[in-house]
Amino acid sequence: MIIKNCTAFVDDKFQKMDLRIENGTIAEIGLNLVDDDEVHDCSGMIVSPAFVDLHTHLRIGQEYKEDPQITIEKAIRGGYCAINVMPNTVPPVNTAPMVKYIKELKKPEGFSIMVTGAITCDGLLAEIENMAEAGVIAISDDGNWTENSFIFYQALKYAKRHDLLVIDHAQDTVLFKSGRIYEGQVSFQTGLKGFPKAAEAHAVYRDGTLNLTVGAKLHITHLSTVMGLDTISFLKHLGSHITADVTPHHLLFDDTAYLEYETKLKANPPFGDDRDRKALIHALRSAEIAAIATDHAPHSEPEKDQEWEDAPYGIASIDTAFEALYEGLVKTNLVPLEILLSALSTRPAQILGMKHGIAVGNNANLVFIKENEPHVITSRMGAKNNPYVGKDSSAKIMGLMLDGTMVYKHAQ
């Protein structure tokens, strides 16, 4: 198979080229490639490495929120070839059998489901050794911070021993539980109880300094504040091995969104103010923040259709993340398309230890994108707590290839 006349995103830049696909892998890259069998003319399209999500919630045991098979289908429609599943399922991922169960979920050939195991179980260190043997790629107490410093320190040691990523929901639990959104003008205006942004920075600092003596792969997920960013910079200066991601919603919204009390926008961590949002965008541009992770967190309509204080945290956007980010960041000249694509594809893959990208020998996991394609963002299945539905976008996911096979093609 030849993919001809595409604008391929290779080594963080766009290049006009053809791609030869054989046996599910990229066999040749060049110009004027010839194939008598199958040729796909992709003139006018961008071909990028497919997206990789560092942070996805599959509602195993809570299928009323969103069936895991629907989440996988939504990920494919959103251009993703791989998702990393967080451990707060029902039951939680704190044993080897749960790891194996998730890894064996039905999925298209070439679609990767990676699993993150829990750090703690009933307040004690979880079975990290057994989960590592079962194939987890990371450990995390996502949804909560690992409050016990000694347990977290031991978890870092286990992670180092087994070459696991430690995904850190960095948020001081006691401070967080004192409020609902960050303290500031908006918490005053809305009457929603505020908590200090230092909750994030304090947790980042503790965990980063503990890791100074261990040297595990520490990753701060869904970063949300300037203080958190500055703390990461300081820890890097000290020599701590630390990476970070940011969600689409923290790049596209600030806390003024809470003035409408729209529960679709209730997320944890909450949105910072405009200064925080601009700092996150700048950090993404400079690669201080390496990746964008969706934190896809589906909920049922009755759960979200409550008073703001009672509705659960979470935004479900994995199928629409790219289109919303393109419109909010690229179209407004805040972030170049090259950086957006890197942050969605090769950078998260690198953090997860995946071999990924448009290069000879790599699996042909590719997303096909068309710019200047105005449309209204839709989400056709699953959970409805998606704030981007009904908004305009001018870039469209046209298809997804997994191991050389088109598994999704947008119906025009």
Side-chain angles (χ1 to χ4, degrees), residues 101-115:
Y101 175 80
I102 295 174
K103 288 175 69 68
E104 292 170 2
L105 287 171
K106 182 182 176 182
K107 55 191 179 294
E109 189 72 28
F111 187 85
S112 297
I113 297 179
M114 293 165 284
V115 184

Side-chain angles (χ1 to χ4, degrees), residues 200-201 204 223-235 244 275-276 278-284 288-289:
E200 181 171 84
V204 170
L223 197 66
S224 63
T225 66
V226 172
M227 279 196 284
L229 272 170
D230 288 346
T231 306
I232 287 175
S233 296
F234 175 70
L235 289 165
R275 179 170 174 261
D276 293 306
K278 287 177 178 175
L280 294 171
I281 292 171
H282 177 77
L284 181 69
E288 185 179 358
I289 293 177

Side-chain angles (χ1 to χ4, degrees), residues 18 31-32 53 68 90 112 160 169 236 307 323 330 364 375-376 385 398 407 411:
D18 302 339
L31 294 172
N32 303 314
D53 194 24
V90 179
S112 297
K160 175 71 172 178
H169 180 119
K236 287 180 178 178
E307 292 295 326
E323 294 174 4
V330 178
H375 66 284
V376 175
N385 55 310
M398 304 304 291
V407 296

